[in-house]
Amino acid sequence: MVNHAKSNGEDLNLWNIVGREFDKAAANLGVPEGLLQQIKACNAVYYVQFPVRIGDRYEIFQGWRAEHSQHRKPTKGGIRYSEAVTQDEVMALAALMTYKCAIVDVPFGGSKGGICFNPKKYTRDQVERITRRYTVELVRKNFIGPGINVPAPDLGTGEQEMAWIADTYDALTPGQIDSLACVTGKPVTQGGIRGRKEATGRGVQYGIREAFKHAEDLKRHGLSSPLEGKRVSVQGFGNVGYHAAKFLSTEDGCRVVAVGEVDGGVYNPEGIDIAQLAEHRNRTGSMKGFPGGRMLDRPQDVLEVDCDILVPAALENQITLENVDRVRARMVAEAANGPTSPEASERLSKRGVLILPDIYLNAGGVTVSYFEWTKNLSHIRYGRMEKRLDEIYREKMVGALEQSTGHPMNERMRRELIQGADEVDLVNSGLEGTMQNAYREIREQFLSDPGLGDLRTAAFAVAIRKVARSYTEMGVFP
Ligand code: GLU
């Protein structure tokens, strides 16, 4: 199991890692010790074993749902299907959700769930049965509900699983008008929101864009603007890696020189066509034989290629003491949760590599989940009330402009100016603003206390201060 491995004296248990990062950031914040302990602890973990019929026999599955912090409700976080899921991992990922939500001002506590199995080894029917049964267990113990705990996709799960969860929850709690808000990341036709699927990748793009706006910071790290033309290497071609690679290459002019997955990867210093690679991978089931680049044999090669920005978008503990000295990027943009071990992170920082930390950079998913949850509770699509009115005002403005200049506008420009915002435009602008604000807050924290050392510790400090404030204002701690 990846997250319990030890190498070079490193303790790669994610729960311990998150705890150490917390302690480092908390050291000089002036938050009382008892309150720090309360914030750091995982409030509740539900462990369940349940049988599901697989073929002609029953198999027992192990599942967890951890609620790290209930200082805000509901608690929020994905559900992971993977053979590497353990209780420690689920607790650690739930803690990261608490800090992530605080950083981007999403008013939720942190949670995470998982079932220990590889969904690729089961049929769709079987995965449906496993998902529905797990949901029943969560309902039984009050570990799911629009005001209690709201799951979302994570590794090995997606829109389909979320739709099954919503449907099972609804069947078990009939007549609840808000029941769709019991889970996010649903298909758009089932109460989902446009832009949620690509949200984590979008957030990664917006976070990197924001970092590239601060020229003095970039200079300190041996980088320079613009973002355009930068060489990017992406580890992981799932929902997050794919969308980050796609947006950075098609919208920001980056050159994606390498993409890697568990079974190897592709390298092309001239840039990889992400749409073609996705098409090839979806058609053949692998990157092998892709004509648009040469193959990388080992899955870890993608971390070591010559590039400016490295985007680990797969699993935790990918950059460790074992390979950190071979990482050549000047920026590590952590799209995955916990991809860099603390020792490796320190080594990179010492070398002047700029790390955009996971608890900030991959918060796009939960940010748009928040938008989906509020959409479900308000029972109306974003933009429905105002879009037409917005267009009427814009038409008037364009008309006035044409009249005062005496020049009619060309049709394309007119259409662009008149178009009111759709749901996806609102979602993306809300996400972009969120990522910008959060980055600036972390940066200010970092600049005001250089002792923090790096943006990760500064991000933890921002999160701890916000959660501490929320407890204090609740009157729970003096
Ligand atoms: N699983 C995602 C994460 O790790 C999304 C969580 C959510 O939307 O609740 O941030």
Side-chain angles (χ1 to χ4, degrees):
M1 274 178 223
V2 193
N3 58 342
H4 281 282
K6 272 177 188 245
S7 70
N8 297 306
E10 283 179 293
D11 180 0
L12 297 182
N13 172 328
L14 194 61
W15 174 251
N16 296 337
I17 290 175
V18 174
R20 271 163 58 192
E21 277 160 2
F22 179 97
D23 293 341
K24 198 161 118 196
N28 296 314
L29 286 182
V31 177
E33 184 53 34
L35 178 48
L36 284 178
Q37 277 171 17
Q38 165 65 25
I39 297 170
K40 189 178 170 186
C42 185
N43 289 174
V45 189
Y46 176 39
Y47 168 59
V48 63
Q49 298 193 50
F50 53 86
V52 177
R53 196 181 170 88
I54 303 294
D56 55 4
R57 62 197 174 85
Y58 279 91
E59 241 178 74
I60 306 290
F61 291 84
Q62 292 184 298
W64 291 265
R65 185 79 183 159
E67 292 190 349
H68 171 260
S69 175
Q70 297 140 337
H71 75 289
R72 294 227 192 278
K73 280 174 269 304
T75 56
K76 188 86 188 78
I79 291 177
R80 182 171 280 207
Y81 289 173
S82 144
E83 276 168 334
V85 167
T86 63
Q87 179 159 324
D88 274 352
E89 184 192 61
V90 170
M91 282 162 55
L93 293 167
L96 291 176
M97 288 308 302
T98 297
Y99 308 133
K100 208 185 288 190
C101 289
I103 286 168
V104 287
D105 286 328
V106 163
F108 295 146
S111 179
K112 200 79 168 199
I115 307 178
C116 184
F117 83 112
N118 178 356
K120 291 207 179 103
K121 292 188 184 157
Y122 294 79
T123 64
R124 184 187 145 98
D125 243 33
Q126 292 165 346
V127 174
E128 174 175 356
R129 250 175 282 150
I130 296 164
T131 304
R132 288 186 183 275
R133 178 59 196 256
Y134 175 71
T135 310
V136 171
E137 300 298 334
L138 297 181
V139 172
R140 268 191 194 165
K141 292 281 185 241
N142 241 351
F143 265 77
I144 184 170
I148 302 168
N149 188 325
V150 180
D154 199 80
L155 222 85
T157 59
E159 290 185 342
Q160 178 60 79
E161 286 74 16
M162 302 307 118
W164 289 327
I165 292 173
D167 183 55
T168 310
Y169 180 82
D170 187 55
L172 292 173
T173 56
Q176 265 203 53
I177 192 153
D178 290 333
S179 77
L180 272 179
C182 76
V183 63
T184 59
K186 302 177 291 290
V188 173
T189 56
Q190 307 301 310
I193 195 167
R194 288 162 189 82
R196 172 62 186 86
K197 195 171 178 179
E198 51 276 45
T200 310
R202 272 259 176 252
V204 169
Q205 173 197 26
Y206 292 154
I208 294 175
R209 264 192 199 170
E210 185 55 34
F212 268 86
K213 286 188 191 151
H214 301 275
E216 353 46 300
D217 302 3
L218 294 176
K219 211 166 143 198
R220 271 202 307 278
H221 294 280
L223 283 156
S224 60
S225 23
L227 175 54
E228 193 182 345
K230 291 287 176 294
R231 296 160 310 151
V232 180
S233 177
V234 182
Q235 184 203 32
F237 205 48
N239 186 38
V240 181
Y242 162 69
H243 283 112
K246 176 177 152 183
F247 297 142
L248 285 168
S249 59
T250 58
E251 297 175 12
D252 294 287
C254 291
R255 209 165 1 125
V256 178
V257 295
V259 177
E261 274 218 305
V262 267
D263 60 346
V266 178
Y267 175 70
N268 184 346
E270 303 306 319
I272 296 164
D273 185 314
I274 297 303
Q276 278 177 15
L277 179 61
E279 192 278 319
H280 176 89
R281 201 271 314 262
N282 295 344
R283 186 166 39 81
T284 66
S286 134
M287 295 193 176
K288 292 197 179 96
F290 178 63
R294 86 170 161 76
M295 289 298 117
L296 294 171
D297 301 330
R298 304 170 320 146
Q300 61 268 43
D301 287 346
V302 69
L303 301 168
E304 300 172 14
V305 298
D306 193 11
C307 64
D308 304 299
I309 306 172
L310 174 60
V311 183
L315 288 170
E316 51 256 34
N317 288 324
Q318 298 302 297
I319 305 172
T320 64
L321 282 183
E322 194 277 314
N323 59 5
V324 64
D325 291 332
R326 294 192 295 277
V327 168
R328 288 193 264 176
R330 297 305 304 161
M331 174 187 276
V332 173
E334 295 185 337
N337 287 312
T340 316
S341 77
E343 285 81 1
S345 189
E346 223 162 84
R347 189 83 68 94
L348 287 172
S349 293
K350 260 197 203 121
R351 263 175 41 203
V353 175
L354 178 56
I355 302 176
L356 303 184
D358 53 357
I359 49 171
Y360 160 69
L361 197 69
N362 70 29
V366 76
T367 301
V368 177
S369 276
Y370 171 47
F371 301 157
E372 179 175 334
W373 181 76
T374 58
K375 173 188 180 180
N376 294 152
L377 295 179
S378 62
H379 300 271
I380 187 164
R381 166 172 52 80
Y382 281 108
R384 177 157 176 187
M385 292 292 279
E386 60 273 43
K387 182 171 176 187
R388 182 64 197 126
L389 185 63
D390 191 19
E391 284 177 353
I392 291 170
Y393 287 143
R394 287 159 177 264
E395 277 163 11
K396 281 189 183 156
M397 219 128 77
V398 168
L401 210 67
E402 285 179 331
Q403 218 171 26
S404 63
T405 58
H407 290 295
M409 216 168 260
N410 78 46
E411 215 21 65
R412 217 196 70 210
M413 200 187 262
R414 163 187 281 271
R415 232 181 300 124
E416 267 174 24
L417 283 176
I418 284 179
Q419 172 119 41
D422 278 323
E423 185 171 70
V424 71
D425 305 320
L426 293 164
V427 162
N428 285 341
S429 71
L431 175 59
E432 185 165 19
T434 301
M435 295 305 289
Q436 287 175 345
N437 288 345
Y439 190 87
R440 289 170 198 168
E441 260 185 284
I442 295 167
R443 184 171 179 268
E444 260 160 45
Q445 177 80 35
F446 174 72
L447 294 177
S448 70
D449 184 358
L452 290 167
D454 53 30
L455 290 182
R456 185 193 316 284
T457 316
F460 265 89
V462 167
I464 294 168
R465 280 173 57 178
K466 287 189 184 176
V467 180
R469 195 164 144 203
S470 141
Y471 271 113
T472 311
E473 286 173 3
M474 222 189 278
V476 178
F477 279 87

